[in-house]
């Protein structure tokens, strides 16, 4: 019966159906067991690939190696050589359990080890960061750690970036008397803001720019310089161009103008007579025009004034010899030296009233004059012809003669009478007060004195003309 029922049951339930159920149920049970087995055996792990960067956890730190867990069945190893490349300050802060980036050098070496590198991982991350910075034009705040003759070295992470001299801020690389090596060396340790302008992994090339980071242009530099500059400041710059009216000199990144009259104390027709493009010069700031954005400079004011040097030997009251060079309505000009000229005002030509200097002197006359004023600020020398024989300067003339300073007295055409009076100065000089109070007693009749002395012909004509005018009146 049971067998029959069993057969009946078998008929009722086809064998193929039962086998299908058993086939479906067994794989399900067997599949679950296989996945568990694979997990236990680690056969479903994501094995690292060469060149891949992963984040690992430090498992142990030994003398020659560092073991790092990166999610594989066994830890990866940072060998002694790779460990030695890690900076001591970085290695000192490593701790077990700390996450660090690692670069897969070899997924499996001959010994079956996963070989990793910390420094390569950091370098790759820095290259990626540099490429991102270049794409975004983002500024990076770094520090100058070194230099060479071409520029500055600024690190970005583990990479050594290079800032060429042309990309260094103009304000930082202001030209001076120092050599580039000396100038660059002073910048080591200074903070610097840069942007990445070139990334080339193959050539291991990372170029940075401070100028681009600061967005410097000639106008922005000049605006900043105009705000900082003060009149009277002395700067060192380079001649950038020459024009008929002057020379342009670059100071701290901005051009200023040295007018033709401010280049030299000597008279020049063109700046090229004294300067050349590229020449380094010292200049004095003499004008700062904020509205017109102009900077006025002077080279001349930093040079010794030859006029001041020449007049340094002149003293008020001194007798000098001069040649009449030019006559005007207000007086006559006399040349004392090759480049030294003074003015004899019309009131200082004669004791008598005259209408024009030609009544007393003419161009080319060589006359003895007395210095009555030296104005170094206005660069003017005041001379007098009528005070040559003035008793007011008798003491000075005598002292100068004794000290040997009155060299021109030997060439004076009207000196013979004075030499006859001077041999016995002791008799006349003991009581100068008696002679000085009333100089008018000697001065009322200059015509008589001039008639007695061998004066020049123009003076006699002047006197006669004066007498004729008085007679006609």
């Amino acid at each position: 019966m049971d067998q029959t029922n069993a057969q009946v049951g078998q008929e009722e339930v086809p064998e193929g159906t039962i086998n299908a159920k058993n086939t479906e149920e067994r794989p399900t049970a067997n599949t679950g067991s296989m996945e568990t087995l694979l997990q236990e055996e680690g056969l479903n792990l994501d094995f690292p690939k060469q060149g891949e960067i992963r984040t690992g956890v430090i498992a142990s730190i030994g003398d020659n190696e560092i073991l790092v867990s990166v999610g594989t069945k066994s830890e990866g190893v940072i060998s002694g050589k790779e460990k030695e490349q890690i900076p001591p300050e970085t290695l000192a802060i490593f701790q077990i359990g700390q996450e660090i980036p690692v670069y897969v050098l070899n997924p499996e070496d001959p010994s079956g080890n996963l070989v990793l590198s910390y420094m390569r991982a950091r370098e790759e991350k820095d290259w990626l960061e540099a490429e991102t910075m270049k794409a975004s034009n983002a500024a990076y705040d770094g520090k100058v750690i070194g230099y060479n003759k071409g520029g500055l070295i600024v690190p970005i992470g583990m990479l050594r970036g290079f800032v060429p001299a042309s990309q260094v801020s103009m304000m930082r690389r202001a030209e001076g008397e120092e050599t580039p090596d000396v100038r660059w060396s002073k910048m080591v340790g200074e903070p610097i803001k840069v942007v990445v302008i070139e990334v080339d992994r193959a050539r291991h090339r990372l170029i940075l720019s401070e100028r681009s980071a600061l967005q410097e242009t000639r106008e922005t530099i000049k605006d900043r310089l105009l705000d900082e500059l003060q009149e009277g400041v002395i700067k060192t710059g380079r001649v950038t161009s020459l024009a008929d009216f002057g020379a342009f000199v670059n100071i701290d990144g901005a051009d200023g103008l040295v007018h033709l009259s401010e280049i030299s104390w000597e008279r020049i027709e063109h700046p090229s007579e004294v300067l050349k493009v590229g020449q380094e010069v010292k200049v004095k700031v003499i004008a700062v025009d904020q509205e017109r954005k102009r900077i006025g400079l002077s080279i001349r004011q930093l040079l010794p004034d030859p006029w001041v040097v020449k007049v340094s030997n002149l003293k008020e009251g001194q007798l000098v010899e001069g040649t009449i060079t030019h006559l005007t309505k207000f007086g006559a000009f006399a040349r004392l030296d090759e480049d030294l000229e003074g003015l004899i005002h019309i009131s200082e030509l004669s004791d008598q009233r005259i209408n024009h200097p030609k009544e007393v002197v003419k161009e080319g006359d060589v006359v003895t004059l007395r210095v009555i004023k030296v104005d170094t600020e206005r660069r003017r020398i005041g001379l007098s012809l009528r005070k040559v024989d003035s008793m007011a300067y008798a003491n000075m003339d005598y002292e100068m003669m004794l000290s040997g300073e009155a060299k021109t007295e030997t060439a004076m055409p009207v000196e013979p009478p004075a030499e006859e009076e001077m041999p016995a100065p002791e008799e006349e000089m003991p009581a100068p007060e008696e002679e000085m109070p009333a100089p008018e007693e000697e001065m009322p009749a200059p015509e008589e004195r001039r008639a007695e002395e061998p004066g020049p012909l123009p003076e006699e004509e002047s006197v006669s003309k004066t007498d004729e005018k008085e007679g006609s009146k």
Side-chain angles (χ1 to χ4, degrees):
M1 177 68 78
D2 294 336
Q3 292 178 353
T4 304
N5 291 337
Q7 291 176 354
V8 172
Q10 288 176 358
E11 291 176 357
E12 292 176 357
V13 182
E15 183 178 357
T17 304
I18 295 173
N19 291 339
K21 287 184 180 180
N22 293 337
T23 304
E24 291 175 2
E25 289 177 359
R26 285 175 182 171
T28 301
N30 292 339
T31 300
S33 300
M34 183 63 68
E35 289 177 354
T36 302
L37 180 62
L38 290 173
Q39 290 176 359
E40 292 176 355
E41 295 296 331
L43 297 179
N44 66 336
L45 297 178
D46 182 15
F47 289 102
K49 300 176 182 179
Q50 185 176 1
E52 183 182 2
I53 297 177
R54 289 198 171 195
T55 299
V57 178
I58 298 177
S60 67
I61 302 175
D63 294 335
N64 299 321
E65 63 183 16
I66 300 175
L67 298 181
V68 181
S69 175
V70 291
T72 58
K73 183 177 181 181
S74 60
E75 291 86 1
V77 59
I78 299 176
S79 67
K81 181 180 178 181
E82 290 294 331
K83 181 183 174 184
E84 290 173 0
Q85 294 180 358
I86 302 174
E89 59 272 15
T90 303
L91 191 60
I93 62 174
F94 278 178
Q95 296 178 353
I96 295 176
Q98 178 181 344
E99 288 188 350
I100 60 172
V102 290
Y103 179 89
V104 179
L105 293 175
N106 191 345
E108 185 176 4
D109 67 359
S111 300
N113 296 319
L114 172 61
V115 183
L116 307 173
S117 171
Y118 171 75
M119 295 300 293
R120 284 289 299 273
R122 286 287 305 274
E123 184 176 313
E124 286 297 317
K125 279 199 164 187
D126 291 337
W127 280 117
L128 292 174
E129 183 180 352
E131 290 173 346
T132 302
M133 290 171 59
K134 181 179 183 297
S136 63
N137 199 36
Y140 173 78
D141 292 314
K143 180 183 291 187
V144 179
I145 63 167
Y147 66 94
N148 56 37
K149 65 179 181 180
L152 304 174
I153 298 173
V154 178
I156 293 183
M158 306 301 294
L159 306 177
R160 287 166 65 90
F162 180 65
V163 185
S166 61
Q167 295 299 324
V168 175
S169 165
M170 288 185 177
M171 298 295 288
R172 187 190 293 273
R173 65 184 176 96
E175 299 288 356
E177 297 180 356
E178 300 173 338
T179 62
D181 283 347
V182 174
R183 187 161 58 249
W184 296 144
S185 65
K186 291 182 178 180
M187 300 178 191
V188 175
E190 291 184 358
I192 184 172
K193 185 185 289 290
V194 295
V195 294
V196 179
I197 60 175
E198 183 180 342
V199 178
D200 189 340
R201 288 202 196 190
R203 300 171 61 190
H204 210 77
R205 181 182 174 92
L206 178 62
I207 307 300
L208 312 175
S209 171
E210 183 185 26
R211 289 183 61 185
S212 298
L214 299 178
Q215 297 181 346
E216 290 185 330
T217 63
R218 283 186 176 272
E219 290 303 319
T220 58
I221 294 171
K222 195 164 190 176
D223 289 342
R224 189 188 337 168
L225 188 61
L226 285 168
D227 293 335
E228 299 174 354
L229 270 185
Q230 295 182 354
E231 293 185 13
V233 174
I234 298 174
K235 293 282 187 178
T236 300
R238 287 192 181 276
V239 178
T240 57
S241 62
L242 301 176
D244 292 338
F245 52 83
F248 289 95
V249 177
N250 185 283
I251 54 170
D252 296 341
D255 284 347
L257 173 65
V258 184
H259 191 268
L260 187 65
S261 62
E262 291 295 334
I263 293 177
S264 172
W265 290 106
E266 305 297 332
R267 184 179 180 83
I268 59 174
E269 298 296 332
H270 195 274
S272 59
E273 298 176 23
V274 181
L275 302 172
K276 60 182 179 180
V277 175
Q279 180 179 343
E280 185 175 275
V281 293
K282 282 190 176 181
V283 293
K284 180 180 180 180
V285 179
I286 58 175
V288 179
D289 191 336
Q290 295 278 1
E291 294 183 0
R292 302 171 69 186
K293 295 184 179 181
R294 293 184 179 179
I295 303 171
L297 307 173
S298 174
I299 297 175
R300 184 185 71 167
Q301 295 187 21
L302 297 179
L303 302 175
D305 187 347
W307 190 89
V308 174
V309 175
K310 289 177 181 178
V311 301
S312 60
N313 295 326
L314 291 181
K315 299 179 181 178
E316 292 187 12
Q318 180 180 345
L319 291 174
V320 294
E321 187 178 83
T323 303
I324 305 301
T325 58
H326 183 61
L327 301 181
T328 66
K329 291 182 179 180
F330 55 84
F333 289 92
R335 184 175 66 248
L336 307 181
D337 198 355
E338 184 178 354
D339 298 316
L340 202 60
E341 206 169 57
L343 172 66
I344 313 169
H345 192 267
I346 191 169
S347 62
E348 295 294 336
L349 281 168
S350 173
D351 290 326
Q352 301 299 316
R353 182 180 180 82
I354 60 174
N355 295 321
H356 196 279
K358 66 182 179 181
E359 299 176 21
V360 181
V361 294
K362 63 179 182 295
E363 293 182 8
D365 284 352
V366 178
V367 293
T368 297
L369 304 166
R370 191 177 294 279
V371 179
I372 58 175
K373 186 176 183 181
V374 178
D375 188 343
T376 54
E377 291 185 3
R378 301 173 66 188
R379 296 168 59 87
R380 294 182 179 179
I381 302 174
L383 303 172
S384 175
L385 180 62
R386 73 181 183 86
K387 290 180 181 178
V388 168
D389 298 329
S390 174
M391 292 302 297
Y393 295 94
N395 289 344
M396 176 179 290
D397 293 343
Y398 176 60
E399 292 174 0
M400 292 179 67
M401 184 192 70
L402 293 180
S403 63
E405 293 181 7
K407 297 179 181 180
T408 57
E409 291 184 10
T410 58
M412 292 172 57
V414 295
E415 278 304 301
E419 291 178 359
E420 297 175 2
E421 298 174 4
M422 293 304 291
E426 296 80 1
E427 299 177 3
E428 299 177 4
M429 298 302 293
E433 296 81 0
E434 299 178 1
E435 299 177 7
M436 296 300 291
E440 296 78 3
E441 297 178 2
E442 300 176 4
M443 300 301 292
E447 298 84 353
E448 299 176 1
R449 185 173 72 253
R450 292 177 181 273
E452 295 174 359
E453 296 174 358
L457 180 59
E459 294 183 0
E460 295 176 0
E461 294 177 355
S462 175
V463 172
S464 62
K465 289 180 180 179
T466 303
D467 293 340
E468 291 176 2
K469 291 180 181 179
E470 292 179 354
S472 62
K473 291 180 180 179

